Amino acid sequence: MKGWEAGGPKLPVVSYPRGLHERQIIALHKLMKHCDRSHPIGNYIYLTAASYATAAKMLDSVETPAFTELSGVLYGRPTDAINPGGLTHLDAADHFIEMTGEFMAASAVPPTLYKLSAEEVATVLFEQLEPFFHRHKIRIDVDPSLASRATAGAQRIRIREGTPFSMMDMAQLVNHEGFVHMLTSLNGRNQPNLPSMGLGAPRTTGTQEGLATFAELITSAIDLNRLRRIALRTRAVQMGLEGADFLQVFRYFLEAGQDERESFQSTARIFRGGDPRGRIVFTKDIVYVQGLISVHTFLRKAVQLNKFHYAEHLLAGRFTLGDIIALESFVESGFIVPPLYEPPWLKNRSCLAAYLCYSVFANKIHLGMVTLEDFSRLAGY
């Protein structure tokens, strides 16, 4: 950034330790050999261990093509199809980028004001979340080292120091970090038979981020800036995969309307573990668009099939969408217990069900077959 400000930017020079996880990989593979994959719980444990083993191999492959290949195995790629033979997640991201850009260019919405400091956000988050998680002691810390704006564990949320936030950001953090990430981790730890369901296994990341972003959507906490930000990251991942270097991606974020600090942080997220010269990148940032679409579609389909209880099951721990189906009988038998904590948007089941029911029907209306002039004709003009 100093080079950028002085008019002579250069690619970042980074070095990573390698080969640190051989012992863990061996232990995970040993565990996997003991899992009975014909049993749903055995298969769940196998798949969870396998995702950790893949992540460990990925970390030991930093700055090499294998790093991006394994990242794609864990988190996918922008060009993966949403449905077989259908639109891709990159298509969805480009749609969101275009639409949000048009709204902003037309001044259809007022600009977002970023007036809150990280310290102010941490104080308010604690005031809102501490009474909710009344059975556990939680912390909200300000951390200067974060690549993301915020991150959550089971009992601690960290906020990036020096980053300005808006009031809408506050609502997003409460619902995303608090009422999903922290909540599902604590609910998973509360499982009497499988407390490993409180772990943030790499295989659950897509569903976790999708569920957290869906929580923003269902509580009206997501705004154009947030939707645009996660869409831009998906496009930027694709740029990196195609060979764009750190500076080119940084300029892309700048031209898309982000300030210099946020553009740097967004670019760093994509190249962490990779090569600033391009092609070797971390693909995890596609999971926000990908996960939102997957979780929303899953819940709509569940409601259509009269399985609304799947929404509750999703919050009993850190799961994938496939786990909810495979382990349903273990929830029904009590082997997997209901969520210890439920977010406000789930407690209001009637409103959530109404939203999903409407979404199922609205999906049947093909907008390509509708014009605005149709409404004029219906009114007699």
Side-chain angles (χ1 to χ4, degrees), residues 146 165 185 337:
L146 284 184
F165 293 85
S185 184
V337 301

Side-chain angles (χ1 to χ4, degrees), residues 187-202:
N187 285 343
R189 288 186 177 190
N190 187 58
Q191 291 295 333
N193 298 304
L194 283 173
S196 61
M197 288 180 171
L199 296 174

Side-chain angles (χ1 to χ4, degrees), residues 222-241:
I222 197 167
D223 62 357
L224 285 177
N225 283 300
R226 168 66 169 164
L227 185 61
R228 184 173 178 81
R229 190 162 63 238
I230 62 176
L232 288 170
R233 291 178 193 163
T234 298
R235 167 48 68 181
V237 168
Q238 185 62 25
M239 289 175 62
L241 288 170

Side-chain angles (χ1 to χ4, degrees), residues 101 161 225 265 298 317 345:
E161 186 179 61
N225 283 300
Q265 295 289 357
F298 176 84
W345 58 265

Side-chain angles (χ1 to χ4, degrees), residues 145-210:
S145 66
L146 284 184
S148 56
R149 293 159 65 89
T151 186
Q155 292 180 255
R156 182 172 71 140
I157 294 174
R158 291 182 292 159
I159 309 296
R160 190 171 69 205
E161 186 179 61
T163 299
F165 293 85
S166 68
M167 290 302 297
M168 186 61 74
D169 288 332
M170 185 82 71
Q172 292 163 9
L173 291 170
V174 168
N175 286 285
H176 188 111
E177 307 294 348
F179 290 154
V180 172
H181 291 332
M182 181 174 278
L183 179 144
T184 53
S185 184
L186 288 174
N187 285 343
R189 288 186 177 190
N190 187 58
Q191 291 295 333
N193 298 304
L194 283 173
S196 61
M197 288 180 171
L199 296 174
R203 65 186 290 267
T204 68
T205 300
T207 299
Q208 271 290 300
E209 297 299 354

Side-chain angles (χ1 to χ4, degrees), residues 47-258:
L47 293 171
T48 299
S51 78
Y52 275 115
T54 301
K57 292 174 185 175
M58 181 188 72
L59 291 172
D60 284 352
S61 304
V62 288
E63 298 179 283
T64 72
F67 174 82
T68 293
E69 180 182 346
L70 293 167
S71 176
V73 170
L74 288 174
Y75 308 113
R77 288 173 175 255
T79 52
D80 290 344
I82 295 172
N83 292 311
L87 296 171
T88 67
H89 300 294
L90 185 61
D91 291 329
D94 286 342
H95 169 78
F96 294 145
I97 292 168
E98 180 182 359
M99 293 296 292
T100 56
E102 289 175 357
F103 273 113
M104 291 175 174
S107 301
V109 292
T112 301
L113 300 178
Y114 295 92
K115 292 185 174 182
L116 301 174
S117 68
E119 290 75 15
E120 290 172 321
V121 168
T123 297
V124 175
L125 280 183
F126 185 78
E127 291 172 350
Q128 293 190 33
L129 296 176
E130 194 268 342
F132 178 85
F133 294 108
H134 56 91
R135 298 192 185 185
H136 294 86
K137 289 185 177 181
I138 67 166
R139 292 167 48 193
I140 315 291
D141 295 334
V142 176
D143 187 336
S145 66
L146 284 184
S148 56
R149 293 159 65 89
T151 186
Q155 292 180 255
R156 182 172 71 140
I157 294 174
R158 291 182 292 159
I159 309 296
R160 190 171 69 205
E161 186 179 61
T163 299
F165 293 85
S166 68
M167 290 302 297
M168 186 61 74
D169 288 332
M170 185 82 71
Q172 292 163 9
L173 291 170
V174 168
N175 286 285
H176 188 111
E177 307 294 348
F179 290 154
V180 172
H181 291 332
M182 181 174 278
L183 179 144
T184 53
S185 184
L186 288 174
N187 285 343
R189 288 186 177 190
N190 187 58
Q191 291 295 333
N193 298 304
L194 283 173
S196 61
M197 288 180 171
L199 296 174
R203 65 186 290 267
T204 68
T205 300
T207 299
Q208 271 290 300
E209 297 299 354
L211 184 60
T213 310
F214 175 79
E216 296 178 39
L217 179 67
I218 196 67
T219 58
S220 299
I222 197 167
D223 62 357
L224 285 177
N225 283 300
R226 168 66 169 164
L227 185 61
R228 184 173 178 81
R229 190 162 63 238
I230 62 176
L232 288 170
R233 291 178 193 163
T234 298
R235 167 48 68 181
V237 168
Q238 185 62 25
M239 289 175 62
L241 288 170
E242 292 174 352
D245 65 22
F246 192 102
L247 284 170
Q248 290 171 314
V249 174
F250 172 74
R251 289 190 178 100
Y252 170 73
F253 281 116
L254 275 179
E255 291 166 2
Q258 294 189 176

